[in-house]
Amino acid sequence: PAVDVLETGGSVVLSAHIVGTKDGPCTSNLLAEKVTVELDRPLGDRILLDAFTGRPVPYGNPSGPSPSWS
């Protein structure tokens, strides 16, 4: 797995994809892996967005509200 990142002043857009596939992604075996993404500067108050859906990605305290949803 790999993640491309687009940073702007107000948002960070994440685009996940698989590298090294020749025949396309395998849809019968959906596996999840953690991937570390390094940003040019701290996320801070910027909104975190999923490039595929365009929706905010929840992050932060799992038991509290996510900054991306506020």
Side-chain angles (χ1 to χ4, degrees), residues 5 14 21 33-34 37 39 42-43 45 47 50 55 60 64:
V5 180
L14 302 177
T21 59
E33 284 190 38
K34 288 185 179 183
V37 176
L39 302 177
L43 184 60
D45 290 336
I47 190 167
D50 178 337
R55 298 187 63 186

Side-chain angles (χ1 to χ4, degrees), residues 5-48:
V5 180
L6 172 65
E7 294 187 59
T8 69
S11 67
V12 173
V13 183
L14 302 177
S15 177
H17 57 96
I18 303 296
V19 294
T21 59
K22 295 180 182 175
D23 298 328
C26 176
T27 58
S28 65
N29 194 9
L30 296 176
L31 300 175
E33 284 190 38
K34 288 185 179 183
V35 177
T36 300
V37 176
E38 290 189 30
L39 302 177
D40 291 335
R41 63 183 180 91
L43 184 60
D45 290 336
R46 297 183 290 172
I47 190 167
L48 187 59

